[in-house]
Each structure stands twice: as structure tokens, then as C-alpha cells.
């Protein structure tokens, strides 16, 4: 049993009340689990039951794309968010993942995956590849992935004349009770399991 299908160790035991028992540890692709089988019908059945339990767990592991969106940036990457550039009243920066092909592995029976996107304060000039935020995926309260969002387009800060015009525009926006910067928007959704 040891060394088969990721089994890295185990301990047998037998009592009149508990029957044939086996505790075991498995590691497949860095995902380590521990199994306990009680009251198997025979000494060999406890090993079969253990393998069945481990295979059931690993059989419910699924890989999902972190970038769950059909929208693309101008560069063809998954559009995760549009983040307001705070020096302007009307400009946003398209954001993608630092690794647009990144994936996470989740247990399909552990419930829905939730996503939290946080945005950095974008002032001044923003270059392609600059960190502009992060995305965190959780399942059942446990973090399963954290990845940086990066700018996927250039965004220049205002020159002195533009800065003055932005200040005048903001004065009017305050009077009209309108937002002073473009609203940030999350485009991608949490992966479905």
C-alpha cells in the first residue's frame, strides 16, 4: 500500500469494537490528506477502503481559471477590472492578472468560490505591467489563490494645464454632487465550481 497512488504512510490497527482499521497519509501533486478507515470487514478491505476514500477526495478536486471573464483588454488579455485613475475625473485603466492563464485547484463539494478585488490608488503615470490591485479567491473561508492585478494599458498623469482643468471639473462635480473620479469596476466574476 505504501507508495501506491500517492500513499506516503499509514498505520494498521484492529480491535474487537473497531474492527480492521487503517490511518493513512496521501500526497498527490502537493495536496496532502489524511484518511481514517474504521470497521472494515477484512484486513485487505481496509486498504481498499482507504484507496477508495483517497480517490474520492482527489476525484473531486477541480482546476478553475482565476480569470473568469469573456471580456478582453485591447492587448487580448482577460479584462479583470477597470480601475479609476485618481488624477483624472473620467479615466480608468484596464487591469488583467499578472499571470492571465493562472488557475486554482478547489474541492468541488466545499461550496462556492468567492472573489474579492482590491484596487490600488492610481495616481501619476501608470505603465503596462504596474501593479494596480489584487484578486483573492476563497472557498469556505479559506484562501485558495491571491494574485496581483496589473495594468494592461498606459495611462499618463495630467500635465500642468490638464491638472488645472481637472481641478475646475472637480469643482463643478462637487457642486453637482457627482463623483470626483471614474468609478472602479470589477469585470471578472468568481469561478463557478
Amino acid at each position: 500500500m505504501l507508495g501506491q497512488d500517492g500513499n506516503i504512510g499509514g498505520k494498521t490497527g484492529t480491535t474487537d469494537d473497531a474492527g480492521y482499521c487503517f490511518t493513512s497519509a496521501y500526497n498527490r501533486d502537493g495536496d496532502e490528506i489524511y484518511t481514517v478507515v474504521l470497521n472494515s470487514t477484512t484486513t485487505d478491505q481496509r486498504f481498499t477502503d482507504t484507496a477508495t476514500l483517497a480517490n474520492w477526495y482527489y476525484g473531486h478536486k477541480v482546476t478553475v481559471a482565476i480569470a473568469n471573464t469573456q471580456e478582453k483588454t485591447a492587448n487580448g488579455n482577460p479584462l479583470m477590472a477597470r480601475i479609476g485613475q485618481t488624477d483624472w475625473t473620467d479615466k480608468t485603466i484596464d487591469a488583467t492578472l499578472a499571470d492571465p492563464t493562472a488557475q486554482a485547484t478547489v474541492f468541488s463539494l466545499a461550496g462556492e468560490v468567492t472573489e474579492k478585488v482590491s484596487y490600488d490608488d492610481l495616481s501619476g503615470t501608470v505603465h503596462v505591467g504596474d501593479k494596480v490591485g489584487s484578486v483573492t479567491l476563497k472557498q469556505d473561508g479559506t484562501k485558495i489563490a491571491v494574485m496581483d492585478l496589473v495594468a494592461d494599458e498606459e495611462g499618463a498623469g495630467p500635465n500642468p494645464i490638464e491638472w488645472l482643468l481637472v481641478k475646475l471639473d472637480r469643482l463643478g462635480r462637487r457642486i453637482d454632487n457627482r463623483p470626483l473620479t471614474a468609478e472602479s469596476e470589477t469585470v471578472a466574476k468568481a469561478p463557478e465550481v
Side-chain angles (χ1 to χ4, degrees), residues 31-182:
D31 186 9
E32 191 167 302
I33 64 166
Y34 304 92
T35 62
V36 176
V37 173
L38 305 173
N39 204 24
S40 291
T41 55
T42 66
T43 188
D44 288 338
Q45 186 63 43
R46 64 179 151 196
F47 302 122
T48 301
D49 292 344
T50 298
T52 300
L53 183 59
N55 289 334
W56 174 85
Y57 170 79
Y58 288 115
H60 283 89
K61 297 295 282 192
V62 294
T63 302
V64 295
I66 295 175
N68 187 24
T69 178
Q70 297 302 313
E71 292 191 50
K72 301 285 183 191
T73 66
N75 294 327
N77 291 313
L79 177 62
M80 297 296 291
R82 292 180 184 95
I83 303 174
Q85 197 172 1
T86 57
D87 289 340
W88 297 95
T89 56
D90 60 349
K91 293 188 180 186
T92 60
I93 297 293
D94 286 351
T96 191
L97 292 172
D99 176 2
T101 62
Q103 299 179 323
T105 302
V106 298
F107 186 61
S108 65
L109 303 177
E112 74 175 325
V113 175
T114 59
E115 173 185 78
K116 181 179 184 231
V117 177
S118 59
Y119 312 114
D120 292 349
D121 180 22
L122 303 185
S123 63
T125 299
V126 178
H127 299 286
V128 172
D130 285 353
K131 181 182 176 299
V132 295
S134 64
V135 60
T136 302
L137 298 182
K138 288 184 177 183
Q139 187 180 38
D140 194 28
T142 301
K143 284 183 189 177
I144 55 173
V146 178
M147 181 158 288
D148 286 343
L149 292 176
V150 296
D152 208 34
E153 65 178 322
E154 295 288 319
N159 65 39
I161 293 173
E162 292 168 328
W163 179 84
L164 182 59
L165 293 172
V166 167
K167 293 299 180 191
L168 289 171
D169 185 24
R170 285 195 175 143
L171 178 61
R173 288 171 174 268
R174 278 191 178 95
I175 293 168
D176 295 342
N177 201 25
R178 291 183 291 150
L180 301 180
T181 61

Side-chain angles (χ1 to χ4, degrees), residues 10-16 18-23 37-40 42-43 46-47:
K11 173 68 177 105
T12 60
T14 305
T15 69
D16 290 340
Y20 296 103
C21 305
F22 187 57
T23 60
V37 173
L38 305 173
N39 204 24
S40 291
T42 66
T43 188
R46 64 179 151 196
F47 302 122

